[in-house]
Amino acid sequence: DAKTINGQKVMIKVKDDKVFVDNAQVVKTDIKASNGVIHVIDTVILPKEKDKEKESKMKYQWRWHIDLMKKGGILNATLFLL
């Protein structure tokens, strides 16, 4: 297992000399980037439902904090959350 940046756990396994992250196959490895090393997979890994609920709650909390900062005159810009 490994943990993604959003805290989701993904399963890493080797089958027939191929590496998989959940159901995505690693197709290219060790690509140097400015902030580390990249491994390319052949499928997008989406958050599990439980993680989507957690993400939605986090967005709500941020909106609440942003609204408070706007009302208090601390924040004058509009932020967009995906």
PDB file of all heavy atoms in Angstrom, residues 1 5 7 12 17-18 21 23 25-27 30 32 38-39 44 48-49 56 59 62 64 67 69 74 76-77:
ATOM      1  N   ASP A   1       0.833  -1.190   0.000  1.00  0.00           N
ATOM      2  CA  ASP A   1       0.000   0.000   0.000  1.00  0.00           C
ATOM      3  C   ASP A   1       0.874   1.250   0.000  1.00  0.00           C
ATOM      4  O   ASP A   1       1.983   1.248   0.516  1.00  0.00           O
ATOM      5  CB  ASP A   1      -0.890   0.043   1.233  1.00  0.00           C
ATOM      6  CG  ASP A   1      -2.033  -0.966   1.195  1.00  0.00           C
ATOM      7  OD1 ASP A   1      -2.202  -1.638   0.164  1.00  0.00           O
ATOM      8  OD2 ASP A   1      -2.752  -1.077   2.196  1.00  0.00           O
ATOM      9  N   ILE A   5      -1.467  11.938  -2.117  1.00  0.00           N
ATOM     10  CA  ILE A   5      -1.378  13.269  -1.514  1.00  0.00           C
ATOM     11  C   ILE A   5      -2.664  13.665  -0.786  1.00  0.00           C
ATOM     12  O   ILE A   5      -2.627  14.427   0.165  1.00  0.00           O
ATOM     13  CB  ILE A   5      -0.983  14.322  -2.570  1.00  0.00           C
ATOM     14  CG1 ILE A   5      -0.529  15.589  -1.894  1.00  0.00           C
ATOM     15  CG2 ILE A   5      -2.110  14.563  -3.541  1.00  0.00           C
ATOM     16  CD1 ILE A   5       0.219  16.531  -2.784  1.00  0.00           C
ATOM     17  N   GLY A   7      -4.419  11.566   0.913  1.00  0.00           N
ATOM     18  CA  GLY A   7      -4.578  10.638   2.023  1.00  0.00           C
ATOM     19  C   GLY A   7      -5.187   9.303   1.657  1.00  0.00           C
ATOM     20  O   GLY A   7      -5.300   8.416   2.488  1.00  0.00           O
ATOM     21  N   ILE A  12      -0.385  -1.321  -4.313  1.00  0.00           N
ATOM     22  CA  ILE A  12       0.679  -1.521  -5.296  1.00  0.00           C
ATOM     23  C   ILE A  12       0.967  -3.011  -5.356  1.00  0.00           C
ATOM     24  O   ILE A  12       1.187  -3.646  -4.323  1.00  0.00           O
ATOM     25  CB  ILE A  12       1.942  -0.735  -4.912  1.00  0.00           C
ATOM     26  CG1 ILE A  12       1.620   0.756  -4.892  1.00  0.00           C
ATOM     27  CG2 ILE A  12       3.073  -1.041  -5.885  1.00  0.00           C
ATOM     28  CD1 ILE A  12       2.742   1.629  -4.427  1.00  0.00           C
ATOM     29  N   ASP A  17       5.391  -9.637 -13.938  1.00  0.00           N
ATOM     30  CA  ASP A  17       6.464  -8.651 -14.134  1.00  0.00           C
ATOM     31  C   ASP A  17       5.953  -7.260 -14.501  1.00  0.00           C
ATOM     32  O   ASP A  17       6.685  -6.441 -15.057  1.00  0.00           O
ATOM     33  CB  ASP A  17       7.473  -9.129 -15.188  1.00  0.00           C
ATOM     34  CG  ASP A  17       8.253 -10.340 -14.731  1.00  0.00           C
ATOM     35  OD1 ASP A  17       8.515 -10.444 -13.509  1.00  0.00           O
ATOM     36  OD2 ASP A  17       8.603 -11.169 -15.581  1.00  0.00           O
ATOM     37  N   LYS A  18       4.693  -6.959 -14.218  1.00  0.00           N
ATOM     38  CA  LYS A  18       4.117  -5.641 -14.455  1.00  0.00           C
ATOM     39  C   LYS A  18       3.694  -5.059 -13.112  1.00  0.00           C
ATOM     40  O   LYS A  18       3.168  -5.772 -12.265  1.00  0.00           O
ATOM     41  CB  LYS A  18       2.915  -5.726 -15.392  1.00  0.00           C
ATOM     42  CG  LYS A  18       3.271  -6.214 -16.778  1.00  0.00           C
ATOM     43  CD  LYS A  18       2.043  -6.375 -17.629  1.00  0.00           C
ATOM     44  CE  LYS A  18       2.445  -6.973 -18.973  1.00  0.00           C
ATOM     45  NZ  LYS A  18       1.267  -7.287 -19.786  1.00  0.00           N
ATOM     46  N   VAL A  21      -0.833   0.083  -9.815  1.00  0.00           N
ATOM     47  CA  VAL A  21      -1.274   0.925  -8.715  1.00  0.00           C
ATOM     48  C   VAL A  21      -2.790   0.892  -8.789  1.00  0.00           C
ATOM     49  O   VAL A  21      -3.381   1.410  -9.729  1.00  0.00           O
ATOM     50  CB  VAL A  21      -0.751   2.367  -8.866  1.00  0.00           C
ATOM     51  CG1 VAL A  21      -1.243   3.227  -7.716  1.00  0.00           C
ATOM     52  CG2 VAL A  21       0.765   2.390  -8.969  1.00  0.00           C
ATOM     53  N   ASN A  23      -5.816  -0.448 -10.145  1.00  0.00           N
ATOM     54  CA  ASN A  23      -5.980  -1.169 -11.411  1.00  0.00           C
ATOM     55  C   ASN A  23      -5.225  -0.527 -12.566  1.00  0.00           C
ATOM     56  O   ASN A  23      -5.374  -0.930 -13.708  1.00  0.00           O
ATOM     57  CB  ASN A  23      -7.473  -1.276 -11.765  1.00  0.00           C
ATOM     58  CG  ASN A  23      -8.216  -2.168 -10.804  1.00  0.00           C
ATOM     59  OD1 ASN A  23      -7.671  -3.172 -10.350  1.00  0.00           O
ATOM     60  ND2 ASN A  23      -9.428  -1.811 -10.469  1.00  0.00           N
ATOM     61  N   GLN A  25      -1.893   0.284 -14.667  1.00  0.00           N
ATOM     62  CA  GLN A  25      -0.566  -0.301 -14.906  1.00  0.00           C
ATOM     63  C   GLN A  25       0.466   0.817 -15.053  1.00  0.00           C
ATOM     64  O   GLN A  25       0.234   1.823 -15.722  1.00  0.00           O
ATOM     65  CB  GLN A  25      -0.566  -1.143 -16.180  1.00  0.00           C
ATOM     66  CG  GLN A  25       0.773  -1.788 -16.437  1.00  0.00           C
ATOM     67  CD  GLN A  25       0.776  -2.628 -17.709  1.00  0.00           C
ATOM     68  OE1 GLN A  25      -0.275  -2.988 -18.228  1.00  0.00           O
ATOM     69  NE2 GLN A  25       1.943  -2.936 -18.199  1.00  0.00           N
ATOM     70  N   VAL A  26       1.613   0.634 -14.418  1.00  0.00           N
ATOM     71  CA  VAL A  26       2.723   1.566 -14.582  1.00  0.00           C
ATOM     72  C   VAL A  26       3.352   1.277 -15.943  1.00  0.00           C
ATOM     73  O   VAL A  26       3.795   0.166 -16.213  1.00  0.00           O
ATOM     74  CB  VAL A  26       3.770   1.397 -13.455  1.00  0.00           C
ATOM     75  CG1 VAL A  26       4.946   2.331 -13.671  1.00  0.00           C
ATOM     76  CG2 VAL A  26       3.133   1.643 -12.091  1.00  0.00           C
ATOM     77  N   VAL A  27       3.352   2.298 -16.826  1.00  0.00           N
ATOM     78  CA  VAL A  27       3.827   2.091 -18.192  1.00  0.00           C
ATOM     79  C   VAL A  27       5.184   2.732 -18.462  1.00  0.00           C
ATOM     80  O   VAL A  27       5.851   2.390 -19.433  1.00  0.00           O
ATOM     81  CB  VAL A  27       2.794   2.578 -19.239  1.00  0.00           C
ATOM     82  CG1 VAL A  27       1.544   1.712 -19.195  1.00  0.00           C
ATOM     83  CG2 VAL A  27       2.444   4.039 -19.035  1.00  0.00           C
ATOM     84  N   ASP A  30      10.599   6.310 -13.600  1.00  0.00           N
ATOM     85  CA  ASP A  30      11.802   7.096 -13.334  1.00  0.00           C
ATOM     86  C   ASP A  30      12.005   8.275 -14.281  1.00  0.00           C
ATOM     87  O   ASP A  30      13.108   8.513 -14.776  1.00  0.00           O
ATOM     88  CB  ASP A  30      13.035   6.197 -13.331  1.00  0.00           C
ATOM     89  CG  ASP A  30      12.929   5.098 -12.291  1.00  0.00           C
ATOM     90  OD1 ASP A  30      12.296   5.335 -11.252  1.00  0.00           O
ATOM     91  OD2 ASP A  30      13.462   4.003 -12.533  1.00  0.00           O
ATOM     92  N   LYS A  32      12.567  12.013 -14.596  1.00  0.00           N
ATOM     93  CA  LYS A  32      13.017  13.083 -13.709  1.00  0.00           C
ATOM     94  C   LYS A  32      12.187  14.338 -13.939  1.00  0.00           C
ATOM     95  O   LYS A  32      11.930  14.745 -15.064  1.00  0.00           O
ATOM     96  CB  LYS A  32      14.492  13.377 -13.947  1.00  0.00           C
ATOM     97  CG  LYS A  32      15.389  12.239 -13.505  1.00  0.00           C
ATOM     98  CD  LYS A  32      16.847  12.562 -13.700  1.00  0.00           C
ATOM     99  CE  LYS A  32      17.678  11.344 -13.314  1.00  0.00           C
ATOM    100  NZ  LYS A  32      19.101  11.570 -13.517  1.00  0.00           N
ATOM    101  N   ILE A  38       8.763  10.915 -11.617  1.00  0.00           N
ATOM    102  CA  ILE A  38       7.402  10.568 -12.028  1.00  0.00           C
ATOM    103  C   ILE A  38       7.369   9.142 -12.575  1.00  0.00           C
ATOM    104  O   ILE A  38       8.284   8.722 -13.273  1.00  0.00           O
ATOM    105  CB  ILE A  38       6.918  11.534 -13.139  1.00  0.00           C
ATOM    106  CG1 ILE A  38       6.895  12.959 -12.626  1.00  0.00           C
ATOM    107  CG2 ILE A  38       5.546  11.111 -13.662  1.00  0.00           C
ATOM    108  CD1 ILE A  38       6.656  13.986 -13.717  1.00  0.00           C
ATOM    109  N   HIS A  39       6.292   8.435 -12.242  1.00  0.00           N
ATOM    110  CA  HIS A  39       6.001   7.136 -12.840  1.00  0.00           C
ATOM    111  C   HIS A  39       4.648   7.289 -13.539  1.00  0.00           C
ATOM    112  O   HIS A  39       3.681   7.740 -12.934  1.00  0.00           O
ATOM    113  CB  HIS A  39       5.933   6.031 -11.799  1.00  0.00           C
ATOM    114  CG  HIS A  39       7.176   5.902 -10.977  1.00  0.00           C
ATOM    115  ND1 HIS A  39       8.429   5.776 -11.523  1.00  0.00           N
ATOM    116  CD2 HIS A  39       7.361   5.898  -9.643  1.00  0.00           C
ATOM    117  CE1 HIS A  39       9.330   5.676 -10.569  1.00  0.00           C
ATOM    118  NE2 HIS A  39       8.701   5.764  -9.402  1.00  0.00           N
ATOM    119  N   VAL A  44      -6.478   6.907 -15.060  1.00  0.00           N
ATOM    120  CA  VAL A  44      -6.645   7.885 -13.990  1.00  0.00           C
ATOM    121  C   VAL A  44      -7.202   7.175 -12.762  1.00  0.00           C
ATOM    122  O   VAL A  44      -8.146   6.397 -12.864  1.00  0.00           O
ATOM    123  CB  VAL A  44      -7.605   9.011 -14.423  1.00  0.00           C
ATOM    124  CG1 VAL A  44      -7.888   9.958 -13.274  1.00  0.00           C
ATOM    125  CG2 VAL A  44      -7.043   9.747 -15.622  1.00  0.00           C
ATOM    126  N   LYS A  48     -11.906   7.323  -3.933  1.00  0.00           N
ATOM    127  CA  LYS A  48     -13.008   6.437  -3.565  1.00  0.00           C
ATOM    128  C   LYS A  48     -14.134   7.294  -2.985  1.00  0.00           C
ATOM    129  O   LYS A  48     -13.917   8.418  -2.572  1.00  0.00           O
ATOM    130  CB  LYS A  48     -12.520   5.407  -2.555  1.00  0.00           C
ATOM    131  CG  LYS A  48     -11.492   4.463  -3.150  1.00  0.00           C
ATOM    132  CD  LYS A  48     -10.933   3.520  -2.095  1.00  0.00           C
ATOM    133  CE  LYS A  48      -9.969   2.539  -2.681  1.00  0.00           C
ATOM    134  NZ  LYS A  48      -8.707   3.088  -3.118  1.00  0.00           N
ATOM    135  N   GLU A  49     -15.357   6.766  -2.950  1.00  0.00           N
ATOM    136  CA  GLU A  49     -16.524   7.527  -2.495  1.00  0.00           C
ATOM    137  C   GLU A  49     -16.300   8.161  -1.126  1.00  0.00           C
ATOM    138  O   GLU A  49     -16.629   9.318  -0.917  1.00  0.00           O
ATOM    139  CB  GLU A  49     -17.767   6.627  -2.454  1.00  0.00           C
ATOM    140  CG  GLU A  49     -18.340   6.326  -3.814  1.00  0.00           C
ATOM    141  CD  GLU A  49     -18.749   7.565  -4.589  1.00  0.00           C
ATOM    142  OE1 GLU A  49     -19.371   8.473  -4.009  1.00  0.00           O
ATOM    143  OE2 GLU A  49     -18.425   7.642  -5.779  1.00  0.00           O
ATOM    144  N   SER A  56     -15.459  16.911  -0.098  1.00  0.00           N
ATOM    145  CA  SER A  56     -16.589  17.828  -0.147  1.00  0.00           C
ATOM    146  C   SER A  56     -16.716  18.588   1.173  1.00  0.00           C
ATOM    147  O   SER A  56     -16.951  19.799   1.182  1.00  0.00           O
ATOM    148  CB  SER A  56     -17.872  17.056  -0.437  1.00  0.00           C
ATOM    149  OG  SER A  56     -18.963  17.917  -0.436  1.00  0.00           O
ATOM    150  N   LYS A  59     -14.003  21.268   1.317  1.00  0.00           N
ATOM    151  CA  LYS A  59     -14.334  22.421   0.484  1.00  0.00           C
ATOM    152  C   LYS A  59     -15.350  23.316   1.191  1.00  0.00           C
ATOM    153  O   LYS A  59     -15.228  24.540   1.180  1.00  0.00           O
ATOM    154  CB  LYS A  59     -14.874  21.968  -0.871  1.00  0.00           C
ATOM    155  CG  LYS A  59     -13.813  21.468  -1.798  1.00  0.00           C
ATOM    156  CD  LYS A  59     -14.420  21.078  -3.143  1.00  0.00           C
ATOM    157  CE  LYS A  59     -13.382  20.493  -4.064  1.00  0.00           C
ATOM    158  NZ  LYS A  59     -13.973  20.079  -5.340  1.00  0.00           N
ATOM    159  N   TRP A  62     -13.584  25.339   3.843  1.00  0.00           N
ATOM    160  CA  TRP A  62     -12.804  26.429   3.259  1.00  0.00           C
ATOM    161  C   TRP A  62     -13.715  27.565   2.830  1.00  0.00           C
ATOM    162  O   TRP A  62     -13.401  28.735   3.038  1.00  0.00           O
ATOM    163  CB  TRP A  62     -11.971  25.931   2.067  1.00  0.00           C
ATOM    164  CG  TRP A  62     -10.667  25.365   2.513  1.00  0.00           C
ATOM    165  CD1 TRP A  62     -10.288  24.060   2.506  1.00  0.00           C
ATOM    166  CD2 TRP A  62      -9.553  26.089   3.051  1.00  0.00           C
ATOM    167  NE1 TRP A  62      -9.024  23.920   3.008  1.00  0.00           N
ATOM    168  CE2 TRP A  62      -8.548  25.153   3.346  1.00  0.00           C
ATOM    169  CE3 TRP A  62      -9.316  27.434   3.323  1.00  0.00           C
ATOM    170  CZ2 TRP A  62      -7.323  25.521   3.896  1.00  0.00           C
ATOM    171  CZ3 TRP A  62      -8.096  27.799   3.860  1.00  0.00           C
ATOM    172  CH2 TRP A  62      -7.119  26.851   4.143  1.00  0.00           C
ATOM    173  N   TRP A  64     -16.517  28.385   4.123  1.00  0.00           N
ATOM    174  CA  TRP A  64     -16.972  29.020   5.347  1.00  0.00           C
ATOM    175  C   TRP A  64     -15.900  29.981   5.859  1.00  0.00           C
ATOM    176  O   TRP A  64     -16.183  31.127   6.200  1.00  0.00           O
ATOM    177  CB  TRP A  64     -17.286  27.931   6.378  1.00  0.00           C
ATOM    178  CG  TRP A  64     -17.822  28.454   7.678  1.00  0.00           C
ATOM    179  CD1 TRP A  64     -19.100  28.866   7.929  1.00  0.00           C
ATOM    180  CD2 TRP A  64     -17.088  28.608   8.888  1.00  0.00           C
ATOM    181  NE1 TRP A  64     -19.211  29.261   9.237  1.00  0.00           N
ATOM    182  CE2 TRP A  64     -17.988  29.117   9.851  1.00  0.00           C
ATOM    183  CE3 TRP A  64     -15.789  28.369   9.264  1.00  0.00           C
ATOM    184  CZ2 TRP A  64     -17.616  29.391  11.160  1.00  0.00           C
ATOM    185  CZ3 TRP A  64     -15.406  28.639  10.559  1.00  0.00           C
ATOM    186  CH2 TRP A  64     -16.312  29.141  11.492  1.00  0.00           C
ATOM    187  N   ASP A  67     -15.648  33.014   3.511  1.00  0.00           N
ATOM    188  CA  ASP A  67     -16.764  33.944   3.740  1.00  0.00           C
ATOM    189  C   ASP A  67     -16.523  34.798   4.981  1.00  0.00           C
ATOM    190  O   ASP A  67     -16.769  36.005   4.976  1.00  0.00           O
ATOM    191  CB  ASP A  67     -18.090  33.180   3.876  1.00  0.00           C
ATOM    192  CG  ASP A  67     -18.596  32.638   2.554  1.00  0.00           C
ATOM    193  OD1 ASP A  67     -18.093  33.091   1.494  1.00  0.00           O
ATOM    194  OD2 ASP A  67     -19.474  31.761   2.580  1.00  0.00           O
ATOM    195  N   MET A  69     -13.605  35.612   6.270  1.00  0.00           N
ATOM    196  CA  MET A  69     -12.533  36.560   5.986  1.00  0.00           C
ATOM    197  C   MET A  69     -13.044  37.713   5.127  1.00  0.00           C
ATOM    198  O   MET A  69     -12.660  38.863   5.321  1.00  0.00           O
ATOM    199  CB  MET A  69     -11.358  35.854   5.303  1.00  0.00           C
ATOM    200  CG  MET A  69     -10.582  34.955   6.251  1.00  0.00           C
ATOM    201  SD  MET A  69      -9.074  34.289   5.528  1.00  0.00           S
ATOM    202  CE  MET A  69      -9.706  33.033   4.433  1.00  0.00           C
ATOM    203  N   ILE A  74     -10.795  40.962   5.641  1.00  0.00           N
ATOM    204  CA  ILE A  74      -9.434  40.417   5.553  1.00  0.00           C
ATOM    205  C   ILE A  74      -9.134  39.950   4.141  1.00  0.00           C
ATOM    206  O   ILE A  74      -8.018  40.047   3.660  1.00  0.00           O
ATOM    207  CB  ILE A  74      -9.259  39.244   6.542  1.00  0.00           C
ATOM    208  CG1 ILE A  74      -9.463  39.750   7.964  1.00  0.00           C
ATOM    209  CG2 ILE A  74      -7.904  38.587   6.387  1.00  0.00           C
ATOM    210  CD1 ILE A  74      -9.559  38.655   8.991  1.00  0.00           C
ATOM    211  N   ASN A  76     -10.282  40.226   0.089  1.00  0.00           N
ATOM    212  CA  ASN A  76     -11.053  40.981  -0.895  1.00  0.00           C
ATOM    213  C   ASN A  76     -11.092  40.298  -2.254  1.00  0.00           C
ATOM    214  O   ASN A  76     -11.652  40.824  -3.190  1.00  0.00           O
ATOM    215  CB  ASN A  76     -10.469  42.383  -1.050  1.00  0.00           C
ATOM    216  CG  ASN A  76     -10.655  43.194   0.203  1.00  0.00           C
ATOM    217  OD1 ASN A  76     -11.685  43.089   0.845  1.00  0.00           O
ATOM    218  ND2 ASN A  76      -9.668  43.975   0.569  1.00  0.00           N
ATOM    219  N   ALA A  77     -10.464  39.140  -2.390  1.00  0.00           N
ATOM    220  CA  ALA A  77     -10.417  38.427  -3.672  1.00  0.00           C
ATOM    221  C   ALA A  77     -11.425  37.287  -3.652  1.00  0.00           C
ATOM    222  O   ALA A  77     -11.838  36.820  -2.603  1.00  0.00           O
ATOM    223  CB  ALA A  77      -9.024  37.881  -3.911  1.00  0.00           C
TER     224      ALA A  77
END
